[in-house]
Amino acid sequence: MATGLIALLDDIAAIAKMAAASLDDVAAQTAKAGAKAAGVVIDDAAVTPRYVVGLTPERELPIIGRIALGSLKNKILFLLPGALLLGYFAPWAITPLLMLGGIYLCYEGAEKLYGVFFPHAAHEHENAVLGQKTDPVALENEKVAGAVRTDFILSAEIMALTLSTVADASIYTQGAVLASVGIAITLAVYGVVGLIVKADDAGVALAKTSVSALRVIGRGLVVGMPIFLKVLAAIGTAAMLWVGGSILVHGLAQMGYPGPEHIIHDISETVVHALSIAPGLIGWIATSAQQALLAIGVGAVTIAVMGNVVAPIWGRLRPASH
């Protein structure tokens, strides 16, 4: 009996060691995958605040909370099982699906530029595609829906990068790493976004304190944050364009059409050699700028298709749906 008990305890200890090793492996793979997806995470953090710019302060955090919840649903309920199923049964479908998402990002980014340079025409295009909304609740819901749609594409890129990092692991490790990365990134991104959009309120509170140094910081936040949010909104638009363009370029290369990727690489190399300063930074800027220009072109075509083909069809179907 004693020998059997000792053997049982040995088995339990061995299982515990295996579980600990498995958890260590998941943690290590999660850290590695999170680092690989860092670029898209930064883009995600830059894109999101523009959806709350111009809203009343009391609605900022609730909207961010709704977007964060939608982001978690995107990652855990749809993208995680979808990534595992596609990776197992149809890995060939991942790249085309990501490219469709890339086209959507190009459309979103180009539409924002369209709104800057041709605000009246952009407003008419938006009304034609989405319908005119004057109710504040409907407007807020549309903002949240738009943010969640954009988040879905960025999250898909994050999950695809994560899956590529653990492609050789077991499906259980893949699922655990995808879930860990998805939850951690969502909390990090929307925690930072919440701090950013409420920094001006913190500035108002600090400006009312009796400590002179804190008052100076508070006034600086009050004056600087509206400008910072506008700059961040512009960065978010740029991020959508260069991420959308990069998805299309890399997707074409994976599908056997590496021409655009080679052209962009060659031009970037020429720029780096011509300037001969900070080659890493200059190369990234040159590459991202070309990808963004490609995205603007794709987005412009998509805007035309949406306005001249999809909107008229949708306009005829919309009354019948009520």
Side-chain angles (χ1 to χ4, degrees):
M1 180 69 72
T3 303
L5 180 59
I6 292 172
L8 177 59
L9 291 174
D10 285 343
D11 290 341
I12 292 173
I15 292 171
K17 288 179 181 178
M18 289 174 61
S22 178
L23 288 173
D24 287 342
D25 182 51
V26 168
Q29 298 275 26
T30 299
K32 181 181 177 182
K36 188 172 182 180
V40 185
V41 173
I42 293 169
D43 295 338
D44 201 0
V47 167
T48 305
R50 72 182 182 82
Y51 289 98
V52 296
V53 171
L55 296 175
T56 56
E58 64 270 14
R59 294 304 305 159
E60 289 173 345
L61 286 182
I63 286 177
I64 291 171
R66 290 179 64 189
I67 297 171
L69 181 60
S71 178
L72 270 178
K73 288 180 179 178
N74 282 342
K75 294 181 179 74
I76 304 303
L77 297 183
F78 304 115
L79 293 172
L80 190 157
L84 293 177
L85 289 172
L86 285 174
Y88 190 79
F89 292 106
W92 54 267
I94 294 176
T95 296
L97 289 173
L98 282 175
M99 291 180 70
L100 287 175
I103 292 173
Y104 176 77
L105 288 179
C106 296
Y107 169 72
E108 278 276 287
E111 193 179 39
K112 300 308 169 191
L113 290 181
Y114 190 36
V116 170
F117 293 104
F118 307 99
H120 181 69
H123 184 66
E124 289 183 348
H125 169 78
E126 186 175 354
N127 288 340
V129 174
L130 299 176
Q132 189 167 8
K133 295 180 177 65
T134 56
D135 176 44
V137 175
L139 289 171
E140 180 176 311
N141 289 339
E142 182 56 43
K143 273 186 173 287
V144 171
V148 173
R149 283 195 300 268
T150 301
D151 174 273
F152 186 90
I153 308 304
L154 294 172
S155 293
E157 181 74 359
I158 290 169
M159 299 299 262
L161 287 170
T162 302
L163 186 62
S164 69
T165 305
V166 293
D168 296 329
S170 70
I171 193 168
Y172 303 107
T173 299
Q174 289 179 356
V177 171
L178 285 169
S180 300
V181 169
I183 293 170
I185 283 176
T186 301
L187 293 177
V189 166
Y190 291 98
V192 169
V193 169
L195 290 175
I196 289 173
V197 300
K198 299 308 291 183
D200 53 349
D201 292 343
V204 171
L206 290 174
K208 295 178 180 178
T209 63
S210 58
V211 182
S212 59
L214 293 179
R215 287 202 303 272
V216 171
I217 294 172
R219 290 175 188 140
L221 287 172
V222 170
V223 173
M225 283 311 298
I227 299 172
F228 176 74
L229 282 173
K230 289 180 180 178
V231 171
L232 196 61
I235 293 173
T237 299
M240 282 193 292
L241 289 170
W242 77 60
V243 172
S246 69
I247 290 173
L248 294 182
V249 169
H250 296 319
L252 287 172
Q254 290 177 13
M255 295 175 69
Y257 302 97
E261 189 173 58
H262 289 163
I263 292 171
I264 289 174
H265 177 267
D266 292 343
I267 293 174
S268 298
E269 287 293 306
T270 302
V271 172
V272 168
H273 290 311
L275 296 179
S276 299
I277 55 170
L281 177 61
I282 296 300
W284 177 83
I285 291 174
T287 300
S288 298
Q290 293 175 82
Q291 291 169 344
L293 287 173
L294 172 65
I296 291 171
V298 172
V301 171
T302 311
I303 287 173
V305 171
M306 291 293 291
N308 297 312
V309 179
V310 176
I313 296 173
W314 176 243
R316 287 194 295 268
L317 293 176
R318 190 184 299 150
S321 64
H322 292 295

